[in-house]
Amino acid sequence: MDSSQDSQEERHPRRENGEETEKTADYGNALSRKEATEELLGCMVHSEEEAYRLYCDYGHRIGFSVRKGKQSYFIGTKNIRTKDYYCSKEGLKYDEPVTEANFNRPDTRTNCKAMIRFRVDEKGQWTVIRFVPVHNHQLAKPGERHMLRSAKSLAVGKSGVIDPSASTESHPINGFSDTIEDDTAENSGYTIRDCYNQAGMQGITVIEAGDGQSLVSYFKRRTNEEGMFYWDVQVDQEGRMTNFFYRDGKCRNDYDCFGDAIIFDTTYRTNKYNLICAPFVGVDHHWQNVVFGCAFLLDESVASYVWVFKSFLESMGGQSPKSIFTDQDEAIMQAIEQVFPNTQHCFSYWHILKNAQSHLGSLNTSQAFQNLFTKCMQGSDSEEDFEDSWTSMLREYKLQDNSWLIDLHRFRHKWCSAFNKDTFDGGINSSQWGEVSNNILSGVSDDNTSLTRFALLLEKVVKDLRRNESEEDFRCSQTAPVRAVKHSTVLKQAAESYTHRIYKLFEAEFLDGCGATSCHETSSGGNLLRFEITMQGRGSKVWAVALDTSTMEITCGCRKFERMGLLCSHALKVFTLQNVDTIPEKYVLKRWTKDARRSMYKLAQDDSTQQECTEAELAYRNRAMQYAYNLIIKSQELEESRKIFWDSLETGEKALEVFFEMRNMHTLAAKDASNREKKKKKPSKGPNSKKAKQVPAASSTAQELIVQTNEHQYQSSQDAPGNATIGRPYYYQQAFPTAPMQPNQMYIHPNMHGMPLCTPQVF
């Protein structure tokens, strides 16, 4: 063994009984990234399995997955001499031969150079001789690291469904080590924290005789646990609770990001009391369901709907959605007109098709009728086109006297696409989406489920939806979608911006526009170009597209961007013909991007979300509380992140104190200067006036506040090495001014809590 290995042996002595060295493979759970990096080089283990586990532990701590790499052997033997382990993103996918099996596989490679190399001596000791810690990609966040592939091999046993009634006498570790039943891989990823939450949910006492009071107690407990939890209860004249509404802090954050289009579904009822369970549901940036809140309603009166809409609006800081989709109900329509006057209200397609099943009888099984009915809802380009299709449908199937269709036609402006071309729905208003939304509550309760129990089960459903979003966020941050056209700059930009699900929708439109359309330029005048686009193999329908080359503003008759927030195949065809190789920024809707949740708390003077708030202070307070809540949730998992959060709060508090101290001192100095000016202008009387004039002018000069603002006084912690991962910068200050102070100047130290230092005055 060489000298370097001897020194390592001294640093990490082996126990005499042959046990592991003091530096074990699970060190990463106790060390920070910097400490782990310093200690990893030169570390020794005793087998290939321990070497792999050592780097996997480090990778799990830092936020990356591990892949086994090359190895060399001693000459003439099969004994390993060196062994490499790489970051799982090492290399490039295009270095591998393309096969049918891996063509559609997401691209995870970024040619990352991070790696570790072990050397094995004659005694079988594995020593780290090379270590490259730098990664060229985004690392997994603490809440996502359990989804790393190599981290799954570190878990002991299987995750599954928790049985809270199981005895903990034989399970000394947290009471959860063996209280997990085998289940499918879908339940993997549960943590000990989840186990405690699940056990706490099962252990809450549900009072059958006072179920309403039990639900209120549940709301109060959630309020104590979460500062941003909101709940409201309506009582009747006799003091009996009738309607309930609640949402947690995460719902508010979700609404700020994705609350532009929502569905208010009143078709599901709790079985025990037959109350209406009405969730507010939207769609996130992965095109998945997201819940903004839930209400329990005793009846379907206008007053009940007005109350729940007002509660919802108040809980969201007075921010109304752009569009809301509901069932065909006149009470709901009247309530929305009162509470959401500026929101576009439409009937949900899914609700219309569901109601058709009970009003149209055997026609529901006729595919020809379904096609014609769907054309009336979604396939009409103009009001005249709709009326022709509607009249033809009624005449062909003899439905002129059908009362439900007559009533539906009366409100055609709330469901026909010809009347709502500019109504944003984000794809949520479709028959398929309504089915998915309704399935959220399917099977949640039975005939004996109380309100509190129902709320607990709904809480679990919401957690599952959020876990799905977290998994998609992780997949988008760690992999790249396979592009159908590898060298297309438009698709490359879309793949980098959009989430995987939205990118596939965009790619389908792009390929359809480039390969299955015919284009004819009809006219051009100055910067305005007009085109007619015909879809090949889909009839003779023509779409008109207009492009202003000076502003790159494009409009299409199909209005897909206005409704969905994605460019249509017709617009992309025109961009391609005009050699536009990047999508204009205004046509990349942030709600569909990977960064949809970033910068959501920035306040601007022209922020449209503040317009409905009567007080700017209230709006600021609400947004600041959301921001703080999000940081608390993000930092609560690790001791290091909690310390960073507290340090940021303390630093911000000190900065505010300095600001107000300087402001007060400046106000006092200005006031004193004003008073002296007034005395100077006022004529002096009496025998002492002559003496007063002999006072040097310097004595009447106002003291000047000097606050050092040179470039070295404030430095962001993000500029310092090793602090690049801190999400919010904090600042440190110099202790003394760098420039000499002049007479009549006052120096204020930024962290001063006493009286300021003054330079001597010259008289």
Side-chain angles (χ1 to χ4, degrees), residues 355-375:
N355 293 332
Q357 296 176 3
S358 58
H359 291 91
L360 299 179
S362 60
L363 289 177
N364 291 288
T365 60
S366 172
Q367 188 61 46
F369 174 79
Q370 291 294 327
N371 294 337
L372 192 54
F373 191 46
T374 302
K375 181 183 178 183

Side-chain angles (χ1 to χ4, degrees), residues 119 153 223 256 271 298 335 437 574 659 661:
R119 183 175 61 193
S153 62
T223 304
D256 285 340
N271 292 327
L298 186 64
S437 175
V574 172
F659 169 77
E661 284 178 4

Side-chain angles (χ1 to χ4, degrees), residues 516-531:
T517 58
S518 301
C519 181
H520 174 65
E521 184 174 353
T522 57
S523 63
S524 60
N527 296 323
L528 186 61
L529 306 179
R530 298 183 183 277
F531 301 85

Side-chain angles (χ1 to χ4, degrees), residues 247-258:
R247 62 108 179 117
D248 62 15
K250 185 67 165 55
C251 289
R252 175 61 194 272
N253 293 338
D254 294 338
Y255 184 80
D256 285 340
C257 297
F258 313 115

Side-chain angles (χ1 to χ4, degrees), residues 611-669:
Q611 293 177 0
E612 298 186 21
C613 297
T614 56
E615 298 181 4
E617 293 84 358
L618 178 62
Y620 167 77
R621 214 163 39 238
N622 290 337
R623 302 283 265 183
M625 290 174 64
Q626 298 165 44
Y627 186 33
Y629 174 81
N630 196 32
L631 290 179
I632 292 171
I633 297 300
K634 185 183 296 185
S635 62
Q636 67 183 356
E637 296 294 336
L638 299 173
E639 183 65 30
E640 297 93 328
S641 58
R642 289 197 294 267
K643 185 177 184 303
I644 292 173
F645 178 71
W646 280 115
D647 290 344
S648 301
L649 290 180
E650 292 173 358
T651 305
E653 183 181 15
K654 291 179 181 178
L656 286 175
E657 290 175 356
V658 170
F659 169 77
F660 286 114
E661 284 178 4
M662 292 190 295
R663 188 172 182 270
N664 292 336
M665 295 299 299
H666 181 70
T667 302
L668 291 175

